[in-house]
Amino acid sequence: MSELENLRKRIDEVDQQLVKLLNERSKCAVEIGHLKKQLKMEAWQPDREAEILRNIVKSNHGPLDDAAVRRLFERIIDEARTRNHN
């Protein structure tokens, strides 16, 4: 197998792990949404979202820059929020 094929295979493996982890994260977010509803809490909590993004940026060691990681997680959070409203 060539180096290119090996790297592509590794990307495919990482992609599968990402899908699994994103779905696991989404399940947690859905459960949080249910709990917030039971507790009559606001669904969107900007302080918590800001905390998540700070933690993500703090744990980023590249090669993606902080802005890129932040944009990715903003999208993940947005998708979770959309899922909770359906």
Side-chain angles (χ1 to χ4, degrees), residues 9-62:
K9 183 174 187 256
R10 182 65 186 132
I11 284 175
D12 291 343
E13 292 167 355
V14 170
D15 287 348
Q16 294 301 310
Q17 292 171 359
L18 285 170
V19 168
K20 180 181 175 189
L21 291 171
L22 287 169
N23 279 307
E24 184 177 332
R25 187 189 191 288
S26 181
K27 287 176 189 175
C28 291
V30 168
E31 287 301 313
I32 287 170
H34 293 313
L35 288 172
K36 284 181 178 179
K37 190 175 281 188
Q38 289 173 2
L39 298 170
K40 297 182 180 5
M41 294 174 65
E42 289 292 322
W44 183 53
Q45 296 181 319
D47 291 345
R48 174 61 180 146
E49 187 171 321
E51 178 185 7
I52 291 167
L53 294 172
R54 277 193 308 275
N55 290 339
I56 293 303
V57 168
K58 191 172 13 174
S59 68
N60 181 37
H61 301 293

